[in-house]
Amino acid sequence: QVLDMCTGSGCILLSLLKLVPGLTGTGVDISGEALKVAVENGKRLQTEASFLESDLFEKVEGSFGLIVSNPPYIPKEDIAGLMTEVKDFEPINALDGGADGLDFYRAILRNFDAALRPGGTICFEFGFGQETALTELLQAAGYEDVTLRKDLRGVVRAVSAKKPEV
């Protein structure tokens, strides 16, 4: 059972469900418009997923073995300098991660504990240069096996961590 927090168009969740047999999943987003796109993407990919409009974990029920998230991570002051194809076509709430870009990670880590099963894994995508701060947040929250991952260009852009067994 996979939870994709801040699912947007559903691309991460739908890719996982399409490529890994036996997975089921739920995508959560505060934007009803984004969820409409996710539902259409699921139909186009012939991949079944549940989608829930919720402010982070507000309406999420149950527990999951894997939580993935690509939340807004751009520091507020950097948004104006983004490439035109990003800043002019993405909703601001899909980009703005607060002063240091880490607001959503903090909120997710404060609120997701009941949603992730013991022994479960959480995976985040993050912005350039945020790996140290995010690693420290995960370790401070008590997560183990914090592992950084590189993108196809060799840039560290993702992290996974395991919730300790009880």
Side-chain angles (χ1 to χ4, degrees), residues 10-41:
C11 64
I12 295 173
L13 176 63
L14 294 169
S15 295
L16 286 169
L17 297 179
K18 186 81 174 173
L19 297 172
V20 182
L23 286 183
T24 60
T26 302
V28 176
D29 206 285
I30 195 168
S31 169
E33 290 301 312
L35 292 174
K36 288 178 187 175
V37 173
V39 168
E40 287 303 312
N41 284 339

Side-chain angles (χ1 to χ4, degrees), residues 6-90:
C6 304
T7 195
S9 67
C11 64
I12 295 173
L13 176 63
L14 294 169
S15 295
L16 286 169
L17 297 179
K18 186 81 174 173
L19 297 172
V20 182
L23 286 183
T24 60
T26 302
V28 176
D29 206 285
I30 195 168
S31 169
E33 290 301 312
L35 292 174
K36 288 178 187 175
V37 173
V39 168
E40 287 303 312
N41 284 339
K43 288 177 186 174
R44 192 170 51 254
L45 292 169
Q46 300 175 353
T47 303
E48 197 171 318
S50 299
F51 292 100
L52 175 66
E53 188 173 340
S54 177
D55 186 358
L56 296 178
F57 292 92
E58 182 178 74
K59 298 178 186 173
V60 173
E61 296 178 359
S63 62
F64 302 83
L66 174 63
I67 297 177
V68 296
S69 186
N70 180 14
Y73 56 74
I74 308 294
K76 185 181 276 306
E77 69 180 34
D78 294 352
I79 293 173
L82 292 174
M83 296 179 295
T84 302
E85 57 269 21
V86 175
K87 70 178 175 181
D88 291 350
F89 294 100
E90 289 287 337

Side-chain angles (χ1 to χ4, degrees), residues 20 26 34 37 40 47 93 111 122 126 148-149 158 162:
V20 182
T26 302
V37 173
E40 287 303 312
T47 303
N93 66 346
N111 296 294
I122 188 162
F126 54 82
L148 295 170
R149 312 249 180 222
K162 185 177 176 185

Side-chain angles (χ1 to χ4, degrees), residues 114-165:
L116 186 63
R117 294 182 192 127
T121 299
I122 188 162
C123 299
F124 288 121
E125 181 176 338
F126 54 82
F128 180 76
Q130 294 175 328
E131 62 271 15
T132 301
L134 194 49
T135 296
E136 289 171 359
L137 287 172
L138 285 161
Q139 290 171 333
Y143 287 81
E144 303 172 333
D145 300 327
V146 178
T147 305
L148 295 170
R149 312 249 180 222
K150 294 179 180 178
D151 65 13
L152 295 175
R153 295 179 321 187
V155 178
V156 178
R157 290 293 308 278
V159 64
S160 65
K162 185 177 176 185
K163 182 177 182 177
E165 299 281 346

